[in-house]
Amino acid sequence: MIDFASARRRLVNSLKDEGIIRSDRVERAMLTVPREEFLPSYLRLYAYEDTPLEIMYGQTISAPHMVAMMCELLDLKPGLRVLEVGTGTGYHAAVCAEAMERRGVVYTIEYYPGLALYAVQNLAKLGYLDVVHVFIGDGSKGLPRYAPFDRILVTAAAPKIPPKLFEQLSSDGIMVIPIEEGLTQVLYVVTKEDNMPHMKPVTYVSFVRMRYGEE
């Protein structure tokens, strides 16, 4: 039997040593959420290897260091309204919820209905559905009914900032999004200045491409 708790602690310690995990909030969240519970049984062995893993529909669950990095960049705290584009298995949404001490709400959109259902099952099993609300649809359009959002997390690469997502970001909000630039992708932190995007590059990344409803 794998001691998942010990493996989780070793990974978190490593991410702290690398300077990726910087806050107590993100450390606590990464220690609390069992990544193995968000993986198909055949992948659980790799739950605490710091690597992305391919799941159904050709999608991936991000590497733990990327989940931690994006959560740090979002500056999560209790009481926020967070929009996530790209639910995947539900793991990242659960980490966001824990980083907010389960006080706040995470709205998350998944393009693939089957994957959204899988995420709901995972989140329900671990008691997150009071904090995390899963929707099926075109993530580039956001969820205008629930806007504005204090934080927007995008886990799929887009050719530019989707205009509807930027509209739904609150005036003092933060968006973290990978943007395609030629043959590469760059992770950006986006804020609003005079209702225009201020983009701060962070690092090169590799995400699946964002899917759009009209495709």
Side-chain angles (χ1 to χ4, degrees), residues 18-164:
E18 294 173 35
I20 292 169
I21 292 179
R22 304 187 307 274
S23 67
D24 291 341
R25 288 190 188 283
V26 173
E27 178 182 3
R28 187 168 56 247
M30 294 290 288
L31 284 173
T32 301
V33 182
R35 190 175 187 239
E36 70 276 10
E37 296 293 339
F38 291 87
L39 293 173
S41 57
Y42 62 89
L43 287 177
R44 289 190 171 200
L45 178 66
Y46 309 103
Y48 296 105
E49 292 190 13
D50 191 16
T51 182
L53 297 169
E54 186 169 335
I55 50 175
M56 55 282 285
Y57 305 102
Q59 304 302 291
T60 59
I61 179 172
S62 294
H65 78 269
M66 186 55 58
V67 173
M69 179 186 297
M70 294 176 91
C71 286
E72 291 284 11
L73 294 171
L74 286 167
D75 188 25
L76 298 166
K77 57 192 72 172
L80 296 179
R81 295 166 62 84
V82 178
L83 174 66
E84 178 189 41
V85 176
T87 311
T89 68
Y91 173 69
H92 206 153
V95 174
C96 288
E98 288 292 350
M100 296 192 295
E101 301 173 20
R102 297 197 186 210
R103 291 187 286 134
V105 60
V106 179
Y107 300 91
T108 179
I109 312 174
E110 176 52 50
Y111 182 84
Y112 296 97
L115 194 49
L117 176 60
Y118 181 66
V120 168
Q121 291 170 336
N122 293 334
L123 292 161
K125 178 173 57 179
L126 295 166
Y128 283 103
L129 290 187
D130 58 334
V131 186
V132 180
H133 306 293
V134 181
F135 295 81
I136 298 166
D138 180 347
S140 70
K141 296 177 180 176
L143 290 171
R145 177 180 173 186
Y146 300 97
F149 300 101
D150 304 300
R151 304 288 187 268
I152 297 179
L153 165 67
V154 183
T155 63
K160 63 179 182 179
I161 299 171
K164 290 186 192 273

Side-chain angles (χ1 to χ4, degrees), residues 161 166 169 173-175 188-201:
I161 299 171
F166 187 70
L169 183 67
I174 299 171
M175 180 190 301
Y188 281 94
V189 174
V190 181
T191 53
K192 282 188 174 180
E193 295 187 5
D194 299 323
N195 213 37
M196 295 295 291
H198 178 265
M199 302 175 64
K200 178 183 176 184

